[in-house]
Amino acid sequence: AALRDGGLRVFDLLAARCVDSFVFARPALSVCFSPNGAFMMTSHSKGNSIQVWANKFLFDPSLSAPLLQPEPREPVRIDEPGEPEHEDDAKSSGSHSADEEGEGAKAQAAVVSAVPLAPDLLTLSDVPPQKWMATLHLDLVKERNKAIEPPKPLASAPFFLPTAHDGVTPRFAAPLESAQGDGERESLEEASRLLKGDRASAKCAQFQQMLRQAKYDEALTFLKAQTPSGVHLAIEELGPMAQGDLKELEAGLALFEHHLQKAHFADEVQAFLSIFLQAHGEEIAEDPSLRARSALLCQALERRWTSIDAQCNKVRCFLGML
């Protein structure tokens, strides 16, 4: 029996009693049972999906004899179909303070959503796959975007000397350098210094400082905010080849160990790890301590993906039974 308020009751007609009780965020429009009674399928308003629910008395070994179980007193709240969308903006928020609290709650929910639902699971990033794939295959992107022919020179434009007027008498204007003050000269020098690459060096130094201070969460946030070229530059500026030391490479491995244990942003972390190994693989192979730490990281990765593969196979078998 489906109710308008989102409730759903499952009854055993022969025993004349309620077996289970749910409350969905959106009311169920249609309900269908499998012939053997092992699964129940529901569809809900404002949704384009079909929810499949398993009979817990058949799949949970800890439960048996549903007729001997007491009738449910409180319904189980199910959030799978999603929260209902409010069509009336006036009812959804009454003041600006309520909007700010709602935005803060949404931001907090976004942070919590990066935590895996179970220890053996992982979460992916919230960025399109094209972004981290472009970061991982930057050389292919540059080759694809390379110009087919050299740019054609622009047509020569006429050159005019700047002139000014003293009353009605024209005269040549003074050079721009003489009209600039000390502040404008300093700004031009700063701009030229940034164009020469000091800005990128400052960003790389910021990333290295985060690794030395073991601020691994901030370091990952820094890499996520960079462009594909910025990610390659920040990672390649580590180690002896960039006038650094092996401690920076050790801190880089510790960065990936930290986020592998947290099991979040798996796709982006894997892309960054691939770039790191491509840039510093030879240096890591030459040092025994770094090589041993890389072996431990490899084992942790294998355990993680083996667990994920086993769970995917279980889900595949479950779907094959439908």
Side-chain angles (χ1 to χ4, degrees), residues 146-278:
K146 185 182 297 184
I148 301 177
E149 58 182 7
K152 298 179 180 179
L154 299 176
S156 58
F159 177 75
F160 298 96
L161 294 176
T163 57
H165 292 79
D166 289 335
V168 295
T169 305
R171 65 175 181 82
F172 292 116
L176 295 177
E177 290 80 2
S178 61
Q180 292 174 347
D182 296 337
E184 295 180 355
R185 291 179 180 177
E186 292 179 358
S187 63
L188 288 178
E189 292 177 358
E190 179 69 15
S192 62
R193 181 180 66 83
L194 295 178
L195 291 177
K196 290 179 182 178
D198 289 352
R199 178 190 297 177
S201 299
K203 286 188 176 181
C204 294
Q206 182 181 359
F207 178 66
Q208 295 169 3
Q209 190 69 18
M210 293 177 183
L211 292 182
R212 293 193 186 98
Q213 297 177 358
K215 297 180 179 180
Y216 300 133
D217 293 332
E218 297 180 5
L220 180 61
T221 304
F222 174 84
L223 290 178
K224 287 168 59 68
Q226 302 303 310
T227 61
S229 299
V231 172
H232 279 261
L233 183 60
I235 293 178
E236 291 173 357
E237 287 293 324
L238 301 174
M241 298 298 293
Q243 299 180 355
D245 51 15
L246 293 177
K247 292 182 179 181
E248 294 179 353
L249 301 183
E250 185 178 0
L253 292 175
L255 166 70
F256 296 109
E257 292 175 357
H258 172 77
H259 292 291
L260 179 62
Q261 293 177 357
K262 299 185 73 171
H264 60 179
F265 308 114
D267 45 2
E268 284 189 299
V269 172
Q270 291 293 324
F272 298 153
L273 176 58
S274 178
I275 297 172
F276 179 82
L277 294 178
Q278 290 177 5

